[in-house]
Amino acid sequence: MRLRTAAALAALALTLTACGGGDEQGDLGSGTPDTKPTFEAGTTMARIQSAGVLKVGTKFDQPLYGEKQLSGDVEGFDVNVAKILADELGVQPEFTEAVSKNREPFIQNGTVDIVVATYTINDKRKQVIDFAGPYYVTGQSIMVKKDDSAITDKAGLAGKRVCSVEGSTPAERIKTEVPTAKLTTFDTYGKCAEALKNGQTDAVTTDEAILLGLVSKSPEDFQVVGEPFSEEPYGIGLKKGDQPFRDFLNDTLEKAYEDGRWEKALKDTVGTVQDQLPSPPPVDRYTAAG
Amino acid sequence: MGLSTITDNLDVYVEGFVGTVTLTALGAAGALALGTALAAMRVSPVATLRAGGLLYVETLRNCPLPVLVVLMAFGLPKLGETFLWSFFAYGAVAIALYHAAFVCEAVRSGIGSVSTGQGEAARSLGLPFGQVLRLVVLPQAFRTVIPPLGNVLIALTKNTSVVALIDVTDITNNTELIINDTVDPIFAVLGSACAYLLLTLPMGLLVGRLEKRAAFAR
């Protein structure tokens, strides 16, 4: 009897460890926590395993993707993806705040092992770091008032007042693709959201991820409409040239696509405000340049 | 890059310049009118008016202008359709309201400089408070406050740049467009500095000349 209790406790402990934080998303666990995968000595995976933690850089201010709660926990889709990866290594994830400007230095300096932070894969970034994934593809989209049915897509923005952020790619895209739209640009999305609420603008446009975050803050006021009209693939940033680690991350993503862990990670977060969830994008095992 | 950042974007600067001039004119007119009225309140014999004037000055003067602009632009519409104005209007009104507090204090200091005998003489002639102020005290007070009022107006001109926060076309907002376009912040900002100087230097000279003309022996 005592032996059984002890075994149960041990199993429970292992499950908790495997889930990284052991919160309500316990079933993200691979279900095989007792068979810790082993990796060749000298690889990044082996180093992380011996350290016992996977150091992850993520956003702390991006609702639904990576947002620090008042409790101190970080929650979101990016966080869940990192948990899946940590799980696969049999370690705990440890989150550090990454902002857009420090993501590359964080990876290059080894401050973090990976960056999962609404991190768009592009060629410029690929010159200094490598990407696993994409694990999610989003794009520029439109947010309107909940009761507005006049604007349903990009073409509907013609002649309308549109708000975005100064100097951002989405703002530039609207200028060239919908030249008749009356564009207002502020320094933060919060102002755009407030202007939309007040009727000072008809729509807000930027990356769908950001819009969904705004919707999650006031679901009774806003809605995201139409299909994204640009392509922003989010990847997992890692040190340049670490091919075995990149393969491991890509393999894990593919595994998570198949066994439903990816879908659950998305449903628990982004799925709370978006009904039509995208399907997992195929990972891009590009050949690293130079 | 370089000087071409300025020369290639002259039209953008001009558009911003027009915006800044308009905001300055409207803001200054509003601030002078309201500020003078507030100064009258602060020296009036009615305690409630004095308290109201004091409350206004201390609130507006001690609240950062960017805070006021953003608060008005996004807060006022909540009060209903009547308060749903253009961002330009919020900017101009916020600038006028804020600087009225400073105009008030400058004018009040001028009123303080007019010898008490002037007011007493006017009152003994039977003039009511309004006329004492309007016909006797204020004309003398304004002459002494031209330099501090000039300071307030030059500060107002430069402070119009806060409207960039709510995307109103002015020199600063258009400079930000140029920076984004050229990625040459140093020259873009140098250009905006020239544009502001083009406006404030003549103002300073004008204030100096007015001061000389208004000088009077006591």
Side-chain angles (χ1 to χ4, degrees), chain A residues 166 184-185 191 194 198 200, chain B residues 73-74 78 165 167 176 180:
Chain A
E166 220 160 70
T184 298
T185 54
K191 284 187 188 170
E194 206 54 42
N198 289 341
Q200 292 164 304
Chain B
F74 297 105
K78 311 260 179 241
L165 282 173
D167 198 38
E176 280 168 13
N180 284 331

Side-chain angles (χ1 to χ4, degrees), chain A residues 166-168 172 175 183-187 191-192 194-195 197-200, chain B residues 70 73-75 77-78 84-85 87 90 164-167 173 176-177 180:
Chain A
E166 220 160 70
S168 64
E172 293 304 314
K175 265 191 226 168
L183 182 68
T184 298
T185 54
F186 293 128
D187 50 351
K191 284 187 188 170
C192 282
E194 206 54 42
K197 225 184 254 179
N198 289 341
Q200 292 164 304
Chain B
V70 173
F74 297 105
K78 311 260 179 241
L84 191 55
W85 315 332
F87 285 114
Y90 292 120
L165 282 173
I166 50 171
D167 198 38
N173 203 28
E176 280 168 13
L177 297 182
N180 284 331

Side-chain angles (χ1 to χ4, degrees), chain A:
Chain A
M1 183 60 203
R2 268 180 87 172
L3 200 78
R4 236 200 253 162
T5 319
L9 278 175
L12 183 67
L14 274 167
T15 318
L16 287 177
T17 316
C19 297
D23 50 23
E24 75 285 354
Q25 283 152 355
D27 44 338
L28 280 175
S30 59
T32 52
D34 41 343
T35 54
K36 239 186 189 183
T38 47
F39 297 98
E40 216 176 297
T43 60
T44 308
M45 292 77 87
R47 180 179 59 72
I48 292 168
Q49 266 190 342
S50 67
V53 287
L54 174 68
K55 289 182 286 179
V56 184
T58 194
K59 293 268 178 87
F60 276 15
D61 58 356
Q62 179 60 63
L64 302 178
Y65 294 84
E67 187 184 37
K68 193 164 189 167
Q69 309 296 311
L70 289 176
S71 63
D73 294 335
V74 199
E75 286 174 12
F77 178 54
D78 284 347
V79 170
N80 285 352
V81 168
K83 281 178 182 169
I84 293 172
L85 298 169
D87 210 40
E88 201 69 18
L89 288 160
V91 299
Q92 299 264 12
E94 182 187 277
F95 295 101
T96 308
E97 180 171 20
V99 297
S100 297
K101 280 173 196 154
N102 69 17
R103 288 179 297 199
E104 289 86 13
F106 263 24
I107 296 169
Q108 288 169 313
N109 301 340
T111 314
V112 297
D113 299 313
I114 55 169
V115 163
V116 195
T118 59
Y119 203 4
T120 302
I121 300 174
N122 66 31
D123 289 342
K124 211 167 117 195
R125 289 172 179 160
K126 272 187 197 166
Q127 284 173 7
V128 285
I129 57 137
D130 267 333
F131 282 104
Y135 62 94
Y136 185 66
V137 177
T138 178
Q140 182 167 355
S141 196
I142 300 162
M143 179 173 85
V144 294
K145 265 194 179 168
K146 191 98 196 182
D147 52 17
D148 182 1
S149 52
I151 300 169
T152 51
D153 56 4
K154 190 178 78 177
L157 293 178
K160 298 280 184 182
R161 295 170 301 171
V162 184
C163 191
S164 193
V165 159
E166 220 160 70
S168 64
T169 314
E172 293 304 314
R173 188 174 287 119
I174 283 299
K175 265 191 226 168
T176 51
E177 293 183 16
V178 193
T180 56
K182 294 188 267 295
L183 182 68
T184 298
T185 54
F186 293 128
D187 50 351
T188 62
Y189 292 107
K191 284 187 188 170
C192 282
E194 206 54 42
L196 183 61
K197 225 184 254 179
N198 289 341
Q200 292 164 304
T201 187
D202 300 313
V204 179
T205 183
T206 185
D207 289 352
E208 190 176 58
I210 294 165
L211 295 179
L212 289 172
L214 292 171
V215 172
S216 78
K217 293 289 168 194
S218 37
E220 66 285 353
D221 293 315
F222 305 136
Q223 58 175 343
V224 170
V225 291
E227 290 287 308
F229 48 92
S230 73
E231 206 165 84
E232 303 277 347
Y234 287 173
I236 298 163
L238 69 150
K239 213 167 233 171
K240 191 164 173 62
D242 194 345
Q243 193 60 42
F245 191 37
R246 187 152 73 98
D247 288 339
F248 165 78
L249 295 173
N250 280 331
D251 292 345
T252 307
L253 283 177
E254 279 176 347
K255 229 163 108 184
Y257 289 173
E258 269 167 40
D259 60 21
R261 279 182 293 164
W262 180 90
E263 202 188 329
K264 172 157 175 46
L266 188 63
K267 218 177 221 164
D268 288 345
T269 53
V270 180
T272 56
V273 296
Q274 199 181 31
D275 303 331
Q276 285 270 322
L277 291 177
S279 44
V283 300
D284 175 15
R285 294 172 190 269
Y286 64 91
T287 340

Side-chain angles (χ1 to χ4, degrees), chain B:
Chain B
M1 293 292 271
L3 262 186
S4 63
T5 299
I6 300 173
T7 50
D8 290 351
N9 292 295
L10 272 184
D11 52 332
V12 187
Y13 281 117
V14 169
E15 186 196 42
F17 189 79
V18 172
T20 297
V21 170
T22 323
L23 279 168
T24 303
L26 291 173
L32 284 174
L34 182 60
T36 310
L38 283 165
M41 280 171 73
R42 293 207 61 183
V43 298
S44 86
V46 185
T48 333
L49 286 181
R50 283 202 305 274
L54 178 72
L55 187 72
Y56 182 96
V57 168
E58 293 307 333
T59 314
L60 273 286
R61 181 169 76 165
N62 292 308
C63 175
L65 183 53
V67 172
L68 191 64
V69 168
V70 173
L71 198 63
M72 284 187 63
F74 297 105
L76 277 184
K78 311 260 179 241
L79 301 178
E81 285 281 308
T82 335
F83 293 97
L84 191 55
W85 315 332
S86 68
F87 285 114
F88 175 86
Y90 292 120
V93 170
I95 287 164
L97 291 181
Y98 177 79
H99 291 91
F102 293 89
V103 169
C104 166
E105 290 306 275
V107 172
R108 199 167 64 92
S109 77
I111 293 172
S113 80
V114 177
S115 85
T116 45
Q118 296 280 332
E120 283 165 1
R123 269 201 301 281
S124 64
L125 286 174
L127 295 184
F129 173 75
Q131 289 186 22
V132 173
L133 206 62
R134 209 171 69 240
L135 303 174
V136 180
V137 178
L138 277 182
Q140 299 183 63
F142 269 119
R143 292 183 159 215
T144 56
V145 297
I146 286 172
L149 269 188
N151 277 342
V152 172
L153 292 187
I154 289 173
L156 181 147
T157 310
K158 293 181 292 176
N159 287 346
T160 55
S161 58
V162 296
V163 298
L165 282 173
I166 50 171
D167 198 38
V168 172
T169 301
D170 82 326
I171 297 173
T172 300
N173 203 28
N174 279 18
T175 303
E176 280 168 13
L177 297 182
I178 297 171
I179 294 175
N180 284 331
D181 193 44
T182 59
V183 201
D184 181 12
I186 294 173
F187 275 86
V189 169
L190 275 179
S192 91
C194 292
Y196 278 110
L197 285 177
L198 209 61
L199 198 56
T200 48
L201 279 183
M203 281 176 79
L205 291 175
L206 193 72
V207 168
R209 283 186 58 180
L210 269 178
E211 189 189 341
K212 277 204 195 89
R213 275 188 53 186
F216 64 100
R218 270 186 221 273

